[in-house]
Amino acid sequence: MAAMVGIAVDHPVGAALALLGWWAVVPITASAVAGYLPRPVAWLAEALVALSPPLLAHDVAGAGATPGRAVAALAGMALWAVPLGALALWLHGRRSLTRRRTSQAW
């Protein structure tokens, strides 16, 4: 997933910051804010925390991980990876096409 973020952002520092935000800042912020939100909306923040990549990775390889939880966590990671991979491929292809057009113009 880190490679997909790097391809989508196309800058090493931006990729590192995006990955840090995605793996740490978003789950921690959503967890902190969930207690202050109205109950019908709080489930969204709680779902974001439960489906965050760090917690899914813990369910795959963490202490007490069972085969059922590991399969469910891998499916959750696939839900993140497929759209992110599609976005990364689309952006990479678009940038490559733009670079080719620019180099041909010279």
Side-chain angles (χ1 to χ4, degrees), residues 77-88:
M77 287 189 137
L79 288 175
W80 282 106
V82 169
L84 184 61
L87 175 68

Side-chain angles (χ1 to χ4, degrees), residues 4-84:
M4 290 181 239
V5 171
I7 290 170
V9 175
D10 196 34
H11 194 275
V13 174
L17 291 175
L19 199 60
L20 176 69
W22 185 33
W23 276 70
V25 175
V26 171
I28 291 170
T29 305
S31 179
V33 170
Y36 298 104
L37 294 174
R39 193 67 204 144
V41 180
W43 70 269
L44 183 63
E46 292 167 359
L48 182 64
V49 171
L51 293 175
S52 65
L55 291 178
L56 291 174
H58 182 270
D59 284 345
V60 171
T66 62
R69 285 182 78 172
V71 169
L74 288 173
M77 287 189 137
L79 288 175
W80 282 106
V82 169
L84 184 61

